[in-house]
Amino acid sequence: MEKRLRLAPSPTGLFHIGTARTALFNWLYAHKIGGKFLIRIEDTDFLRSKSEFTKNILEGLKWLGLRWDEEPIKQSDRIMIHKSYIKKLIECGAAYRCFTTEDEISELREKQKKKGLPPKHDNRHRSLSKKEIETFISQGRTSVIRFKIDEKIQIKWVDQIRGEIKWQGKDLGGDLVLSRRAKGYEIGDPLYNLAVVVDDNFMKITHVVRGEDHISNTAKQILIYKALNFKLPIFSHTPLILNSEGKKLSKRDCVTSIDEFKEMGYLPEALSNYMAFLGWSPKSADREILSLEEISEIFDLSEINKAGAKFSWEKLNWINSQYIKNMESIKLSEIMSKYWDDNGWVPPSQEWAHKLAILLRDSMTLLKDSIDQASPFFSIPKIQKEGKDFLENNDSKLSLKLILNYLIEENTKKLNKEKATEIINEISKMHNIKKGILMKSLRVAFFGSLSGPDLIQSWELFAESNTDRKRIERCL
């Protein structure tokens, strides 16, 4: 039998990192077992679902490299099919009309609260006669459809991550609502637990991998699977992603959507790589920087941790920096050039841009770092206090004057790394000035401070852009 897994996001917000990691685990496992990775958009929450969120989710998946194998399914297109299965459940006696009003439910909740009991429906309309149903309808009462749950039943399944899980019927909150309110004998819009079961069966889903917050839903859904004589998939419930305080990662933690990670300058390969290890501790991995294909070969759901996974910016940043360092230099320069274009910066040549990318990449953590770190190469920076203090040293200004004179007298137009090194060595030897003084003086002239990237390689770039002499002159 073909193995089939799915991601079933609700398009009620931007593509969240929690959903992205669920997608990743599904994709990795599908590839590990030679199965298919599918998409179902669960858009039956008509008030909150938006097409732009659907687009955002699909684009985010593509950006992360998580391609699906069949055309995505929209749950809203299947509402009439969902209703037909609810009708079947009513006809076989597994479900019934419940006319309890919102006021009556609130009153019941209040009584339970006073007694210290958990909120739970009392199933008061489970055994209504045909006449009682007709009476309620004639009174204009609306009804939901509820699925009967035997309080004495024990639901259990073997979870690929958590082992055997048991759930008692009495702990599921009373008979389960399958549809929203509707008038007369109509059936309202189907709700999550019913629609999920029907659609997973239709899509022939064999493995359901989702967050641990769905465990109680799984217990309810297993009962619906059995009532409809559907084959049960294999379930796996992944740990939640936690913030630094050990609480579920949420919008309050500022950055949670994939778009935000992209805008901050994270590479899709790095983010996917990091997410794979967020809650998964492989026994067979001897390194942490792995492609999706490499991860899928060793991925094992049984090695996923049961405990929540703490999100670490430090770890993500380190992984991202490794991808930047190992990126093919031409590709990196093309990416960095887009950031420079946005700032109106024009490199003298493609070769110059390529050299600058190579110079900066080892010190970059995020792609956005290419703005701050490249800025001194496109515009002459102000001299900071530490730079001014250093220039007050007589040897410092003398050093710059000697270097400038050398460039003028030798008519040095094309300066490469070898020539730059030669100039430093000759002046140091002829005038008995320490190389450190010469190089620090140049660094202040070029960068306005005593810090910056490799000086000799930087000088070569400044010379190519005809700005090295200007920078030296301003200090004199």
Side-chain angles (χ1 to χ4, degrees), residues 2-8 37-42 70-75 78 196-206:
E2 182 180 65
K3 307 295 191 297
R4 294 166 68 85
L5 292 90
R6 51 70 170 176
L7 177 73
F37 172 61
L38 312 175
I39 303 292
R40 181 175 68 242
I41 303 298
E42 299 195 335
E70 294 178 7
E71 193 67 25
I73 286 176
K74 287 178 66 177
Q75 201 169 60
R78 295 177 44 77
V196 165
V197 171
V198 171
D199 289 342
D200 277 348
N201 180 74
F202 169 72
M203 294 172 71
K204 296 183 174 61
I205 299 301
T206 58

Side-chain angles (χ1 to χ4, degrees), residues 107-120:
E107 185 182 339
L108 174 63
R109 295 280 186 272
E110 196 58 37
K111 288 179 180 178
Q112 291 168 335
K113 189 177 180 181
K114 287 179 180 178
K115 293 180 181 179
L117 299 172
K120 181 179 179 180

Side-chain angles (χ1 to χ4, degrees), residues 263-297:
E263 288 167 11
M264 287 175 69
Y266 289 99
L267 287 161
E269 302 90 340
L271 187 56
S272 292
N273 194 157
Y274 172 70
M275 287 193 298
F277 289 97
L278 195 53
W280 173 51
S281 301
K283 298 170 184 174
S284 53
D286 56 358
R287 54 196 172 94
E288 294 182 283
I289 306 302
L290 297 165
S291 68
L292 285 177
E293 287 69 26
E294 289 172 323
I295 294 171
S296 69
E297 289 176 7

Side-chain angles (χ1 to χ4, degrees), residues 94 96 98 108-109 112 118-126 144-153 155 167-178 193 216 219-221 223-224:
Y96 62 93
C98 176
L108 174 63
R109 295 280 186 272
Q112 291 168 335
K120 181 179 179 180
H121 197 268
D122 58 9
N123 310 331
R124 64 183 68 176
H125 291 164
R126 182 188 274 193
V144 299
I145 307 300
R146 286 186 182 271
F147 179 80
K148 294 178 182 177
I149 296 179
D150 182 356
E151 292 200 345
K152 296 178 181 178
I153 197 170
I155 308 106
W167 206 279
Q168 304 301 320
K170 63 183 178 62
D171 297 324
L172 293 178
D175 291 342
L176 176 66
V177 179
L178 299 181
N193 283 298
S216 63
K220 298 167 187 174
Q221 289 165 19
L223 294 176
I224 299 174

Side-chain angles (χ1 to χ4, degrees), residues 384-391 396 436-437 439-444 447-452:
Q384 304 300 315
K385 185 179 183 303
E386 62 171 359
K388 289 178 180 178
D389 291 343
F390 189 81
L391 289 178
S396 180
I437 297 294
M439 295 180 79
K440 285 183 179 179
S441 301
L442 270 177
R443 193 174 288 284
V444 172
F447 298 104
S449 69
L450 294 171
S451 60

Side-chain angles (χ1 to χ4, degrees), residues 178-290:
L178 299 181
S179 67
R180 294 185 176 89
R181 293 185 175 277
K183 296 178 181 178
Y185 288 98
E186 293 178 11
I187 294 174
D189 290 333
L191 295 174
Y192 171 76
N193 283 298
L194 182 283
V196 165
V197 171
V198 171
D199 289 342
D200 277 348
N201 180 74
F202 169 72
M203 294 172 71
K204 296 183 174 61
I205 299 301
T206 58
H207 296 73
V208 173
V209 181
R210 58 190 178 190
E212 67 176 51
D213 47 340
H214 282 285
I215 290 177
S216 63
N217 285 329
T218 298
K220 298 167 187 174
Q221 289 165 19
I222 285 174
L223 294 176
I224 299 174
Y225 270 102
K226 291 181 176 179
L228 291 172
N229 294 315
F230 290 164
K231 186 176 180 179
L232 284 173
I234 297 170
F235 293 100
S236 305
H237 292 87
T238 62
L240 297 176
I241 300 177
L242 309 176
N243 62 17
S244 58
E245 298 174 353
K247 297 178 181 178
K248 183 179 178 181
L249 193 70
S250 67
K251 290 180 181 178
R252 294 177 185 174
D253 298 296
C254 298
V255 178
T256 56
S257 81
I258 297 303
D259 274 1
E260 289 171 305
F261 285 97
K262 184 178 180 180
E263 288 167 11
M264 287 175 69
Y266 289 99
L267 287 161
E269 302 90 340
L271 187 56
S272 292
N273 194 157
Y274 172 70
M275 287 193 298
F277 289 97
L278 195 53
W280 173 51
S281 301
K283 298 170 184 174
S284 53
D286 56 358
R287 54 196 172 94
E288 294 182 283
I289 306 302
L290 297 165

